[in-house]
Each structure stands twice: as structure tokens, then as C-alpha cells.
Amino acid sequence: MKIAFIGLGNMGGPMAANLMAAGHDVTGFDLTARPDGLRMADSAAAACAGADVAITMLPNGTILRQVAAEVIPALTAGAVLLDCSTVDVDSARAVAADAQAAGLGALDAPVSGGIGGAQGGTLTFMVGGDADAFARAKPLFDIMGQKAVHCGPSGNGQAAKICNNMILGVTMIATCEAFALADKLGLDRQAMFDVVSTSSGSSWSMNAYCPAPGVGPTSPADNDYRPGFAADLMLKDLRLSQQAAVGADADTPLGQVATDLYRRFVEDEDGAGRDFSAMLPRFAARGRA
Ligand code: NAD
């Protein structure tokens, strides 16, 4: 396939490289990034000339809307606009509606799996959009990832992503504050892990990404909390969940508390640039607020 790839940062760069390695004809565009070995165009529109699929992997919904306004007229009817960024549900649905009005297929397909998943081609895609566009993009999902779940119409991929990450933010905070409580009660962290990871308090945050250094499988905690999944990105996703909750009139009190805690951690404390599991040393250093 002839593929345009716009947004070649930490995630988009390796995803584009995997598509190229699988034999696809990829042309990239990015305002700053210049990945080795990738043919680059002078603009997003130029990258899209003659493309069967245009993939975007951009920082947020505002930028996605700007790029889509340039890209949609540059694609020919029948092509697919495949956005893999994490953005707000409203932006995803607006961009998809514009693309469909221009005769294009449109998919919102945010990912889980981080930079390691992008490099290894093991991402999970959560996909919103029509079944025909999903079927056409499926061979690309199979190269860039290990799983693609079709979640329903446009915007539902973003809905799945922010609901998942709201659970992740809440369970990570719960896991970290429980470790900090266990410390103060004199409970050994290894014993805490051995019990909780096989009991009803278990979760991905505890079992697969344990925030306590030296306990459980290797995680960013064992690398001085270098990300991994940065607290800043968790804050971005939690804010998207609360923006969606307000728009949909959904009651998400724990999501709101998690957003407030990560906002303080990133903006007022030392959390910026640290892994989101660095909430454990934050709680451990504090007394009861
Ligand atoms: P990044 O900042 O490394 O890359 C974004 C790229 O977009 C940059 O290279 C930037 O120059 C480019 N860009 C910005 N505006 C542009 C424009 N107008 N035209 C062309 N290029 C433009 O970010 P990332 O870590 O690659 O994340 C990309 C998306 O993936 C985000 O939505 C993020 O939330 C999501 N995501 C990231 C991770 C992760 O672990 N990094 C995991 C899951 C999802």
C-alpha cells in the first residue's frame, strides 16, 4: 500500500519503520522529526498525494483537526484516514465526519503498549469507524500491533482508550497509596506484592507494572522511575476522560480525584518527566494529608 505517515515522534517513528520494513511504500511528514531511512515530504498534503491510507500520530485533538483540514482534501475518494493519536472524542468524531463527507474512510485507532509496543509491533489498537474501513486497515494493524479491537462507530476507539486509562490511573494511585500505607504498618513490600498480586486487590498496576522497586516483574520502578508511561501522558488521558465525562453527563468521582492528584504531581511537585508509577515515592514521603 501507499501510505502517508504524519507525526513521526516517539510512537509514529517506529510505527512507520515497521510498515516500511513490511514492504509498504511510506512517505512521512513531521514538523521536526526526521527518522532515518524514511522518505519525507515537504508538507502533510504532499505526503498524501496518491496515498491509499494516511496515518496520523499527533500530540492532541487541536493539532489533529489542523492536520486533517490539510490532509482530507489531498486524499482521493476511497482512501482511509487512520488516526492513531490519543485525542478527545469530539475531535475524533468531527474529523471522521469531515473525512466521510469527502468520500474517505475514517478510523480513530488509539493505541496501548507505549514506545516499546510501537518499536516491537505489539501495540493494541482500539478502533472506531465503519467496518469496511476497519477491514481495509486490518493488514496494517497486524504489522504495527498484536491486536485490533473494533469498538463501534467513530469516536468509540477514543472512548475505549480514555475509559481504560481512567481505570489505569485510578488503580495505579490505589496501588501506590496501599504500598505507602503498608510501609507505615511495617508490612514488607515483597509480602504485600505476594498477597495482593494473587488476591482480590490484584490489577495490571500491581501484577505487571509494580510501582515498588525490586518487587514483581521488571518495571520503570526498577529504573529510577524513568518512563515507561510518563505521568504527563497519564494526566493528559485523565483530563480527556473528565472532559468526556462532563460532555456525556457521567459521574466519575474517582477519575476526577485521579486527575487532580496527577495534575498536582506533574505541575506542582516533581512528577513531570517521571513514570506515572512514581506516585509510590510521592505517597511514601508524605504523612496523612
Ligand atoms: P511525540 O511528541 O513524540 O510525537 C508527536 C510528533 O508530532 C512530533 O514529532 C511532532 O513534531 C509532530 N507534530 C506536531 N504537530 C505536527 C503537525 N502539525 N504536523 C506534523 N507533525 C506534527 O508524541 P508520541 O509519544 O509519539 O505520542 C503521539 C500520540 O500517541 C499522542 O497522542 C500520545 O498521547 C499517544 N500515545 C503515546 C504513548 C507513549 O507512550 N508515548 C502511548 C500511547 C499513546
Side-chain angles (χ1 to χ4, degrees), residues 9-11 30-32 57-59 63 67 85-86 111 114 233 236:
N10 290 323
M11 297 292 289
D30 191 292
L31 291 181
T32 55
M57 193 50 164
L58 296 162
I63 293 173
V67 169
S85 329
T86 303
V111 303
L233 287 176
K236 172 193 167 182

Side-chain angles (χ1 to χ4, degrees), residues 55-144:
I55 304 178
T56 47
M57 193 50 164
L58 296 162
N60 58 50
T62 306
I63 293 173
L64 171 66
R65 286 180 193 242
Q66 288 162 359
V67 169
E70 194 187 335
V71 157
I72 289 171
L75 291 164
T76 32
V80 175
L81 178 57
L82 169 54
D83 177 47
C84 297
S85 329
T86 303
V87 305
D88 56 288
V89 175
D90 288 347
S91 291
R93 290 192 170 142
V95 164
D98 288 349
Q100 283 157 357
L104 306 175
L107 297 170
D108 54 289
V111 303
S112 166
I115 297 166
Q119 290 168 339
T122 57
L123 295 168
T124 295
F125 291 86
M126 306 149 221
V127 190
D130 68 57
D132 179 55
F134 180 77
R136 278 187 288 155
K138 183 74 170 51
L140 305 184
F141 293 139
D142 290 342
I143 293 164
M144 297 185 286

Side-chain angles (χ1 to χ4, degrees), residues 19-21 29 63 67 72 82 98 120 164 191 215 229 245 266 272 276:
L19 292 171
M20 221 167 40
F29 176 71
I63 293 173
V67 169
I72 289 171
L82 169 54
D98 288 349
N164 179 73
V215 176
F229 185 48
V266 168
F276 83 120

Side-chain angles (χ1 to χ4, degrees), residues 262-279:
Y262 274 106
R263 190 206 59 72
R264 259 186 273 163
F265 186 51
V266 168
E267 294 181 357
D268 302 342
E269 301 167 2
D270 66 345
R274 304 188 81 194
D275 189 73
F276 83 120
S277 61
M279 275 283 174

Side-chain angles (χ1 to χ4, degrees), residues 253-264:
L254 287 181
Q256 184 60 57
V257 171
T259 308
D260 292 343
L261 275 167
Y262 274 106
R263 190 206 59 72
R264 259 186 273 163

Side-chain angles (χ1 to χ4, degrees), residues 23-282:
H24 290 290
D25 178 5
V26 184
T27 304
F29 176 71
D30 191 292
L31 291 181
T32 55
R34 296 276 174 279
D36 286 345
L38 182 62
R39 183 177 59 238
M40 299 294 283
D42 291 336
S43 68
C48 289
D52 303 299
V53 177
I55 304 178
T56 47
M57 193 50 164
L58 296 162
N60 58 50
T62 306
I63 293 173
L64 171 66
R65 286 180 193 242
Q66 288 162 359
V67 169
E70 194 187 335
V71 157
I72 289 171
L75 291 164
T76 32
V80 175
L81 178 57
L82 169 54
D83 177 47
C84 297
S85 329
T86 303
V87 305
D88 56 288
V89 175
D90 288 347
S91 291
R93 290 192 170 142
V95 164
D98 288 349
Q100 283 157 357
L104 306 175
L107 297 170
D108 54 289
V111 303
S112 166
I115 297 166
Q119 290 168 339
T122 57
L123 295 168
T124 295
F125 291 86
M126 306 149 221
V127 190
D130 68 57
D132 179 55
F134 180 77
R136 278 187 288 155
K138 183 74 170 51
L140 305 184
F141 293 139
D142 290 342
I143 293 164
M144 297 185 286
Q146 59 181 350
K147 190 170 185 185
V149 180
H150 190 201
C151 301
S154 294
N156 282 22
Q158 298 296 348
K161 168 82 184 178
I162 60 179
C163 289
N164 179 73
N165 280 24
M166 187 174 78
I167 295 171
L168 177 61
V170 168
T171 58
M172 181 54 80
I173 287 170
T175 304
C176 291
E177 66 182 32
F179 264 119
L181 173 61
D183 287 348
K184 292 193 177 179
L185 296 174
L187 175 60
D188 176 67
R189 287 182 171 183
Q190 184 65 51
M192 166 88 171
F193 176 85
D194 291 344
V195 170
V196 175
S197 65
T198 53
S199 299
S200 46
S202 65
S203 70
W204 188 87
S205 295
M206 174 61 87
N207 293 34
Y209 206 96
C210 181
V215 176
T218 303
S219 71
D222 300 306
N223 192 24
D224 201 22
Y225 295 100
R226 278 189 274 280
F229 185 48
D232 320 50
L233 287 176
M234 174 48 82
L235 175 60
K236 172 193 167 182
D237 292 355
L238 285 167
R239 281 180 163 147
L240 290 176
S241 77
Q242 295 314 289
Q243 185 184 339
V246 169
D249 190 28
D251 190 18
T252 57
L254 287 181
Q256 184 60 57
V257 171
T259 308
D260 292 343
L261 275 167
Y262 274 106
R263 190 206 59 72
R264 259 186 273 163
F265 186 51
V266 168
E267 294 181 357
D268 302 342
E269 301 167 2
D270 66 345
R274 304 188 81 194
D275 189 73
F276 83 120
S277 61
M279 275 283 174
L280 173 51
R282 177 203 185 272

